[in-house]
Amino acid sequence: MKVAVLSFAHVHAAGYLRLLARMPGIEVLGSDPDTDLAAPGEVRGRAVADAAGAAYADTYEEAFAWGPDAVIVCSENTRHRPLVERAAAYGAPVLCEKPLAATVEDGEAMVAACAAAGVRLAVAHPVRFSPAYAALKAAVDSGEAGPVLAVSGANNGAMPTRARRWFAEPALSGGGALMDHTVHIADLLDDLFGDARPVEVYAQTNNLLYAGEVDAETAGLVAITYSDGTVATIDCSWSHPRSHPSWGGLELTVVAERATLEMDAFDQKVHGFSERTGRGIELPFGVDLDERMLRTFLYGAEEGGTTVADGAGGLRTLRVVAAGYASARSGRPVPLDGG
């Protein structure tokens, strides 16, 4: 199977290349021609592919001429649409980095293009493949915990500009922390709640953290009301200090009628302290969520197993983000159609 990774703008691109390069039966080719968008000091282009042991094409034209069986899009958020539409026209199933797009208009066009071409569109939400989430979902689906009443979630992280400056440049990212860190939890809730859909969003944002360093918001809190009356909050802030040993984390607390369920998607780690550096250290273990997601995208889910988020689901989470920005600007809740 031939898999093309288009653009190395997103920090996950290098990891995808490494994972694909060592999968049996997979040929991987990367292409990252838009290196002019990289900030000084950011490593892009052929050097990333070489480090991952992947072949490289200088242009997207060469990448499609290679004949990929699947395409993974890792460009800046505002540049997802043309690459996804190109993959759809070519006829290759496509996995697009999250968020699906920077605007609802672009997201709708991407979903429509893939549907018209009969091409599968998936969105990279690897947290669905966390064993912690699987256990939480099983407890909810079984009815053991009772009906869900409320959810409190946090997807906090470090300031991403240390790796890629574009994350805090709205012309390329579409926003800041709200755009970057709302969608993972919104996707989990989209999967967890089944037919219940968001009907109202209220959000507040600020950039008190790293004030003066970037123009985009660096902190946010989003409250979502669902059609069954459940209320969820998402802390989407870039609030981890530069000295923190990890990039961030994702936690959920689900309050149900008969139980409170808690999960931490990324705390399969041994924690310690380095006397040499004077800093905390973390040694991760456990499953690789990106690898599980890639395998499922390429080969399909096991019977009864987790599925990759599809374009329709990615569009629903994008609408939550867009409503969050509208609410933050107006100071009022913003209704959604619940579809």
Side-chain angles (χ1 to χ4, degrees):
M1 185 185 297
K2 293 182 174 182
V3 182
V5 179
L6 304 184
S7 180
F8 304 160
H10 200 285
V11 291
H12 287 164
Y16 294 159
L17 288 169
R18 288 193 299 269
L19 288 167
L20 292 165
R22 67 177 187 233
M23 286 185 186
I26 296 293
E27 295 180 58
V28 59
L29 175 76
S31 184
D32 187 33
D34 299 319
T35 55
D36 58 308
L37 296 174
E42 294 180 356
V43 179
R44 296 275 298 271
R46 186 178 294 274
V48 175
D50 289 346
Y56 185 76
D58 291 317
T59 67
Y60 295 138
E61 289 77 12
E62 292 177 56
F64 281 106
W66 177 65
D69 300 301
V71 166
I72 300 175
V73 171
C74 295
S75 63
E76 299 86 352
N77 298 341
T78 59
R79 299 167 74 87
H80 285 177
R81 177 178 173 178
L83 289 176
V84 169
E85 290 179 334
R86 196 165 184 173
Y90 175 80
V94 56
L95 174 67
C96 182
E97 254 303 337
K98 63 84 187 169
L100 175 64
T103 67
V104 171
E105 179 184 8
D106 279 356
E108 290 174 339
M110 292 158 66
V111 171
C114 290
V119 164
R120 181 164 60 100
L121 174 60
V123 186
H125 286 297
V127 185
R128 283 186 174 212
F129 296 87
S130 163
Y133 174 66
L136 184 149
K137 181 176 170 61
V140 171
D141 288 350
S142 70
E144 182 180 355
V148 175
L149 306 175
V151 177
S152 174
N155 185 191
N156 300 137
M159 186 71 168
T161 53
R162 287 185 289 179
R164 290 288 189 265
R165 181 72 189 180
W166 68 263
F167 275 99
E169 297 178 355
L172 293 173
S173 64
L178 193 152
M179 178 67 70
D180 187 32
H181 274 181
T182 301
V183 289
H184 277 306
I185 291 179
D187 174 70
L188 293 183
L189 299 181
D190 188 73
D191 179 61
L192 185 67
F193 291 161
D195 293 334
R197 300 301 186 202
V199 294
E200 185 179 87
V201 177
Y202 176 72
Q204 291 194 6
T205 63
N206 63 56
N207 70 341
L208 298 177
L209 299 168
Y210 305 100
E213 185 174 327
V214 297
D215 294 329
E217 78 282 355
T218 54
L221 186 64
V222 182
I224 310 167
T225 302
Y226 288 81
S227 54
D228 63 355
T230 305
V231 175
T233 61
I234 301 174
D235 180 346
C236 53
S237 307
W238 291 334
S239 54
H240 279 207
R242 297 195 189 279
S243 59
H244 199 279
S246 71
W247 66 268
L250 187 150
E251 301 174 1
L252 275 185
T253 299
V254 176
V255 179
E257 195 173 82
R258 293 192 293 274
T260 297
L261 310 169
E262 297 181 343
M263 64 161 277
D264 188 329
F266 297 107
D267 200 34
Q268 291 182 305
K269 303 170 184 173
V270 176
H271 298 266
F273 181 81
S274 170
E275 293 185 353
R276 180 177 61 84
T277 65
R279 297 177 60 181
I281 57 173
E282 296 179 343
L283 303 175
F285 61 91
V287 300
D288 188 316
L289 305 187
D290 286 342
E291 183 173 12
R292 285 189 168 189
M293 177 186 68
L294 289 175
R295 287 188 179 278
T296 302
F297 168 64
L298 295 174
Y299 300 115
E302 298 178 358
E303 185 176 352
T306 302
T307 58
V308 182
D310 62 15
L315 185 55
R316 287 192 294 270
T317 63
L318 180 58
R319 287 193 172 111
V320 168
V321 172
Y325 277 113
S327 174
R329 288 191 298 268
S330 69
R332 298 183 179 184
V334 171
L336 291 173
D337 63 12

